[in-house]
Amino acid sequence: MPSLPPLEAAVARLVTDLEYDSIPADALAGARRLMQDQLAVQIGCASLSWSRAVLELTKASHAPGSAHVTASGDEMSAADAAFVNATYGHGFEYDDAHRSSSSHPGSAVVSAAVAVGEELGASMAEVITGIVAGYEVYTRIGILAAPQLLERGFHPHGVLSAFGAAAVVAKMRGFDAERTVHALSIAMSHSSGTTEYTSTGGSVKRLHSGIGTRNGIRAAEMAAAGITGPTTFLSGGKGFYRTFVGRPVADNAVELFSPAASFQITRVWIKPYCCCGINHAYIDGAQQLTARASEVESIRLGIQSGGDVIIGNQNANAYAPQIIEHLQYSLPFQFALAILGRGNGFRTHHDYMDGRLDLGEDSEVAEMARRVKIEVDPELDAEYAGRWIADITVTYRDGSTEHVFVDNPRGTAENPMTEADLDAKFRDLTVADLGADRSEALLTSINAGDPTTPVSEFAALLRV
C-alpha cells in the first residue's frame, strides 16, 4: 500500500488482516471477560439519572434501525443504540480500564460491535473480531499518547473512543486499508473531552464514551460514503501526536502495530471499586491498614504526576466533595472510606447519591481525609510509567510509622479478579434488573462463547 505512510498503513493492516481464527486463545479470553464486565455495567447503570436522560433524549430524535438499547430494548440505528449503551457502560466509574493508555476501551468497542452486529445480522465471531480490532487500535494509539495526553488535561477515553468505534465498523463492514485509514482519520476530527469534570463535576463526563462511540461509527459511515481524511492523521506535522500530545510520535510506533506485537486485550483491567482507577492501588493499600485506623495521626500518599492531575492536589474538590463526580475522583475520600472499612463499591456510591452516606465536614470519613497529604514524586513517574501505583506512609499517634507500597492493584492483568469474583460482580449488577434466571442465561451465553450464535439472539438476553 504505497500511498499510505508507514504508521497509518500499519494501523490499517492491524484491522484489515485480523481474522477470528487467528486471534490467540488468551486474547479471546480477554474479549470474553471484557464483554461480561461491560455488559453487566450497562445493565446495572441503565437506571442512573443521566442514563435515563440520554435514553429519553435519543428516543426523541433517533434514526430507525435494528439495533437495541440495553435493558429497555428500544430499537434504533446502530449509532444511536451504541451512543446510549456506551453511556450506560461508562456511566459510573465501574467499567474496565487499560493501564498503559489510562483509558476505558470496553464501553466503546463492545457497544459499537454489538450494535453494528445487530444491524448487519452478524455472528458472535464477527462481533468478537470487531471488539478485538477496536480494542487494539484504541489502546495502541493510546499507549503512544501516554502519559502526556492525560497530563495535558485531556480525558483519554473521550479522545480515543472514536478511534476504537471507527475501527470496529471498519473491520465488521470489511473496509480495505485505504478506507480504514479514512475512517480513523475522520474519527480524529471527532476526538475531544477534558478532565475538568474531576474538579467541578458535570454529568457530561458520563457521556464521553457515548459521544465518542457514536462519532466513531459516523466517521466510518462517512468514509463509506466517500468522505476522506488526511492520511497522515497520526504521524503528520499537525497530526494527532504533535497536536494532542505535544510531541512527535514515538520511534517504535510502527512496531507496536506489528502483527507480532502482543494483544492488549489480554491485559483488561476489571474494576472491583466504583471510582477512578488511579485510586485503586491506594484503596488496596488502605485495606491493609484498617486494624489501626483509630490510631492514625497522618497519612502521606506519594503520587505520580498524571494521578495528581486527576485525583490529587490539582483536583479542586479532592478534600471537599459535594457531588458524586467529586467523590469518585477524590483520593483523600476514597482512601478514608477504605481505611475505615466503609467500602468503595457500587452500593457505597449509590448510598452517597441517595443521601444515606454522610460525608460532610463533621463526618468520620471527612475527618480521616483531612489527615491525608498528597505529594507528587517524580521518581514514581520514571520507575512506574504506564501503571498507577500507591506509595503510602502512615504515622501513628505513638510516633511509629508504617509503609505500604502497591504496584498491581486488584483487577489488573498482573493481579486479576478471580472468575468467582468476576461472576459475583456480574450478578450484583444484573440480577435486580434481569432476574436471577435471565442473568444466569446471559452469563452462560458469554462463557460458552459460541462463535456461531447470531448476535441478535445474544442481544435479546440484554433486554429487561
Side-chain angles (χ1 to χ4, degrees):
M1 101 196 38
S3 63
L4 296 177
L7 176 57
E8 286 78 2
V11 177
R13 282 197 300 269
L14 178 63
V15 175
T16 59
D17 294 355
L18 184 70
E19 299 294 340
Y20 180 82
D21 291 338
S22 68
I23 300 173
D26 58 349
L28 289 175
R32 182 193 63 77
R33 288 171 67 86
L34 178 70
M35 287 183 64
Q36 176 174 327
D37 189 68
Q38 170 55 207
L39 294 173
V41 173
Q42 288 183 23
I43 293 165
C45 294
S47 61
L48 293 168
S49 60
W50 45 83
S51 296
R52 295 196 304 270
V54 164
L55 176 59
E56 292 307 312
L57 175 67
T58 309
K59 285 167 64 175
S61 60
H62 72 82
S66 54
H68 294 84
V69 173
T70 296
S72 70
D74 289 282
E75 192 173 65
M76 53 188 68
S77 71
D80 286 335
F83 168 61
V84 178
N85 293 336
T87 298
Y88 291 176
H90 188 58
F92 209 48
E93 306 305 325
Y94 210 21
D95 51 325
D96 63 279
H98 180 260
R99 294 177 89 181
S100 299
S101 60
S102 302
S103 58
H104 308 270
S107 54
V109 300
V110 172
S111 299
V114 172
V116 171
E118 285 193 279
E119 193 170 66
L120 296 176
S123 68
M124 287 305 295
E126 293 169 299
V127 168
I128 292 168
T129 306
I131 288 172
V132 174
Y135 193 99
E136 296 305 316
V137 167
Y138 175 122
T139 55
R140 297 186 204 196
I141 290 176
I143 288 169
L144 293 168
Q148 289 88 351
L149 192 64
L150 184 71
E151 291 174 355
R152 285 162 68 92
F154 285 107
H155 179 204
H157 182 55
V159 172
L160 298 170
S161 53
F163 290 125
V168 168
V169 179
K171 178 71 250 181
M172 296 184 70
R173 291 191 176 276
F175 287 7
D176 62 16
E178 183 177 3
R179 186 154 289 177
T180 297
V181 166
H182 288 307
L184 294 170
S185 179
I186 296 167
M188 184 179 68
S189 289
H190 292 85
S191 294
S192 188
T194 78
T195 57
E196 180 59 24
Y197 56 81
T198 64
S199 287
T200 52
S203 59
V204 70
K205 187 272 178 184
R206 317 295 186 176
L207 278 67
H208 278 186
S209 186
I211 293 168
T213 302
R214 178 167 62 184
N215 287 344
I217 293 173
R218 291 292 289 161
E221 291 172 345
M222 291 177 191
I227 297 170
T228 61
T231 56
T232 53
F233 71 98
L234 293 176
S235 60
K238 291 167 283 190
F240 177 73
Y241 290 101
R242 288 185 183 272
T243 304
F244 282 74
V245 185
R247 56 166 169 76
V249 67
D251 292 338
N252 69 335
V254 174
E255 180 182 335
L256 184 62
F257 288 93
S258 163
S262 60
F263 280 75
Q264 293 299 315
I265 203 167
T266 64
R267 305 190 60 74
V268 173
W269 176 0
I270 304 296
K271 284 186 174 183
Y273 312 121
C274 195
C275 58
C276 176
I278 307 173
N279 288 304
H280 285 216
Y282 296 97
I283 293 170
D284 283 353
Q287 290 173 353
Q288 301 177 39
L289 302 166
T290 55
R292 298 188 66 185
S294 62
E295 305 171 48
V296 170
E297 178 69 27
S298 63
I299 304 157
R300 184 261 184 195
L301 302 180
I303 197 168
Q304 293 143 297
S305 299
D308 191 56
V309 172
I310 304 301
I311 62 171
N313 298 306
Q314 296 186 55
N315 182 341
N317 290 283
Y319 285 92
Q322 303 298 313
I323 56 177
I324 186 63
E325 289 87 3
H326 295 166
L327 177 59
Q328 290 178 314
Y329 285 87
S330 166
L331 174 54
F333 271 75
Q334 292 297 333
F335 189 92
L337 285 167
I339 197 172
L340 293 170
R342 303 294 291 273
N344 304 79
F346 191 63
R347 303 302 165 192
T348 298
H349 291 86
H350 265 287
D351 285 346
Y352 174 73
M353 284 198 304
D354 295 340
R356 293 188 295 271
L357 175 61
D358 177 19
L359 297 181
E361 61 178 327
D362 295 328
S363 68
E364 178 188 33
V365 176
E367 197 278 330
M368 179 65 75
R370 287 193 289 270
R371 302 182 200 179
V372 172
K373 181 179 181 180
I374 303 170
E375 295 183 356
V376 175
D377 185 344
E379 292 185 5
L380 298 177
D381 292 340
E383 192 168 353
Y384 299 98
R387 57 191 197 267
W388 301 112
I389 55 82
D391 187 21
I392 304 165
T393 303
V394 175
T395 300
Y396 296 106
R397 293 196 180 100
D398 63 7
S400 64
T401 62
E402 187 170 357
H403 180 251
V404 175
F405 187 87
V406 179
D407 186 356
N408 299 307
R410 181 168 165 254
T412 59
E414 296 82 2
N415 184 18
M417 290 174 67
T418 65
E419 290 296 324
D421 286 344
L422 185 63
D423 291 351
K425 179 181 176 181
F426 179 90
R427 295 184 179 104
D428 186 47
L429 285 164
T430 61
V431 168
D433 293 299
L434 295 183
D437 290 346
R438 199 172 183 87
S439 172
E440 289 304 310
L442 176 58
L443 183 58
T444 298
S445 180
I446 294 169
N447 287 331
D450 183 356
T452 66
T453 301
V455 68
S456 57
E457 180 180 316
F458 175 80
L461 298 172
L462 300 172
R463 300 169 209 157
V464 175

